[in-house]
Amino acid sequence: MSGFILSIVIPVYNEEKQIGRNINVIHQVLLADGIDHEFILIDDGSKDNTWLALKKLAQELPCVNAIKLSRNFGKEAALCAGLSSVTGDACVVMDSDLQHPPEIIPQMVRLWRHEGYEVIDGIKSSRGKESLSYKLSSLLFYNILHKLSGFNLNGASDFKLLDAKVVEAWKALDERNTFFRGMSEWVGYKRKSIAFEVAERAEGVSKWSFVRLVKLAVTAITSFSSLPLQIVTFLGSLFLIGSFFLGIQTLYFKFKGIAVDGFTTVILLLLIIGSALMISLGIIGTYIAKIFDEVKARPRYLISEQIKRKGQIPNQNS
Ligand code: UDP
Ligand code: MG
């Protein structure tokens, strides 16, 4: 008996082939270390038989809670669903494909229990097998986010241990567009990073499409910084200064009677100002869209079925 309960939150999407095996691997690691634990598995509207697999798992392992969302709401929403049912003294958030090595969990728990850290961040020491373009885009994204928001999330992952108090603080953040990685950094608290090697995916392929990653990047940037809006103002001021000098030059030429046709200048100016205007409108539009989402205040996810754990937390009476 470890004297505390660890909730393991795992979003699951189309993982019928591996979820049973993977949860058992994690379960064994925790048992071996004598850590009392419960699982909170969220089926994010899978199209395969993931829910059946979770039901089966809940029969085999009494410490399994499962939540089925009414459709695919995305990993961020699934994490929200999971975190809101955490009952343990701390929780670990991780992926279902064993890319976040469960062997690290006991180290995280030690840091939390014995050294008083309230958040343990899993940091990717290597990014595993990712394509060069993926690596470059994520590097670019994190650098932009760092410049804009001041939060350096380079190498950050969704593999984290959070103390119950941090989970409570996280729950109080009420926005619709969530970015777990950033929000759990924003809350602060005593934190420690722990490096891990991203393992290869146990089975299947990544569920993140390029479009989804871009959407997540936009959510992350818009919810952590309003600097892009100021860039619009900056751009406008730059053009104002430019137009002042160009205006003087044009008038000067006009009065001296040496005004040229200026066709190229006009076309170029039109094109440059046109695109600057459209991009600025786009930036403003993106923020308005996010405000619209927040104002609608729809639930982040809907639950269609739920299985509460039947049994005692493993190890508790051993
Ligand atoms: N996932 C989810 N909903 C989705 C996409 C993914 O819950 O819409 C889960 C998935 O089952 C896995 C985790 O999020 O547990 C990470 O997904 P994946 O391994 O596909 O992403 P990657 O490792 O490439 O970041
Ligand atoms: Mg993965």
Side-chain angles (χ1 to χ4, degrees):
M1 186 173 165
S2 58
F4 62 87
I5 294 169
L6 191 66
S7 303
I8 313 281
V9 175
I10 305 182
V12 192
Y13 180 54
N14 291 348
E15 312 271 15
E16 61 170 344
K17 288 211 187 82
Q18 54 168 338
I19 189 66
R21 187 166 12 107
N22 294 357
I23 297 300
N24 271 301
V25 170
I26 301 170
H27 184 62
Q28 290 310 326
V29 170
L30 296 175
L31 273 187
D33 222 73
I35 298 172
D36 301 342
H37 60 280
E38 62 165 357
F39 285 100
I40 301 171
L41 309 176
I42 309 99
D43 176 4
D44 185 16
S46 299
K47 294 180 180 60
D48 62 1
N49 288 322
T50 298
W51 183 243
L52 279 183
L54 294 190
K55 270 181 162 169
K56 197 164 144 252
L57 207 59
Q59 272 160 8
E60 290 163 14
L61 298 178
C63 59
V64 167
N65 299 284
I67 301 171
K68 180 177 163 60
L69 301 188
S70 66
R71 64 170 171 83
N72 180 236
F73 282 90
K75 181 182 179 186
E76 296 291 322
L79 283 179
C80 294
L83 285 169
S84 60
S85 3
V86 164
T87 56
D89 302 288
C91 87
V92 166
V93 174
M94 63 193 295
D95 283 0
S96 59
D97 51 8
L98 292 189
Q99 284 194 295
H100 295 160
E103 300 75 39
I104 305 279
I105 299 177
Q107 289 179 39
M108 288 180 153
V109 167
R110 269 190 287 283
L111 285 169
W112 165 64
R113 288 287 285 175
H114 303 303
E115 296 186 32
Y117 289 104
E118 290 153 322
V119 180
I120 323 291
D121 292 301
I123 299 285
K124 298 174 186 167
S125 60
S126 77
R127 299 193 58 101
K129 276 206 172 149
E130 282 174 355
S131 68
L132 187 67
S133 61
Y134 190 101
K135 276 187 186 144
L136 284 179
S137 7
S138 77
L139 191 71
L140 183 72
F141 163 67
Y142 282 124
N143 279 330
I144 292 179
L145 191 68
H146 186 192
K147 289 264 159 19
L148 292 179
S149 71
F151 290 108
N152 186 3
L153 297 180
N154 210 345
S157 71
D158 287 342
F159 186 24
K160 290 180 195 300
L161 181 145
L162 308 176
D163 185 271
K165 151 158 93 200
V166 183
V167 177
E168 280 311 307
W170 197 88
K171 281 197 230 163
L173 307 183
D174 208 25
E175 59 233 64
R176 305 296 101 189
N177 288 298
T178 56
F179 178 51
F180 175 67
R181 226 167 277 187
M183 285 159 71
S184 53
E185 176 85 23
W186 181 90
V187 293
Y189 289 99
K190 198 172 171 211
R191 34 202 327 140
K192 173 102 184 160
S193 304
I194 184 166
F196 73 93
E197 292 268 331
V198 179
E200 275 209 44
R201 209 169 204 287
E203 178 99 34
V205 289
S206 169
K207 304 293 183 300
W208 286 87
S209 66
F210 178 70
V211 177
R212 279 196 162 195
L213 284 171
V214 171
K215 275 191 182 161
L216 184 68
V218 171
T219 302
I221 289 175
T222 50
S223 62
F224 276 89
S225 169
S226 53
L227 210 62
L229 288 173
Q230 265 107 57
I231 292 176
V232 173
T233 321
F234 175 73
L235 213 66
S237 321
L238 215 63
F239 274 58
L240 186 70
I241 296 170
S243 66
F244 180 71
F245 288 112
L246 206 64
I248 290 181
Q249 191 214 36
T250 313
L251 286 177
Y252 176 73
F253 284 160
K254 165 105 181 126
F255 288 128
K256 279 202 91 181
I258 48 166
V260 274
D261 295 350
F263 184 70
T264 323
T265 325
V266 172
I267 293 284
L268 281 180
L269 276 178
L270 262 180
L271 289 177
I272 296 171
I273 293 176
S275 11
L277 271 180
M278 299 239 215
I279 291 174
S280 309
L281 273 179
I283 294 177
I284 298 169
T286 311
Y287 279 89
I288 294 182
K290 293 290 166 196
I291 298 172
F292 183 50
D293 283 345
E294 299 297 327
V295 172
K296 276 190 291 184
R298 291 200 181 151
R300 289 164 171 171
Y301 54 84
L302 294 170
I303 294 175
S304 66
E305 268 182 77
Q306 208 163 356
I307 303 171
K308 287 251 184 311
R309 71 160 194 268
K310 288 189 288 295
Q312 287 202 313
I313 306 278
N315 287 334
Q316 251 189 342
N317 289 329
S318 57

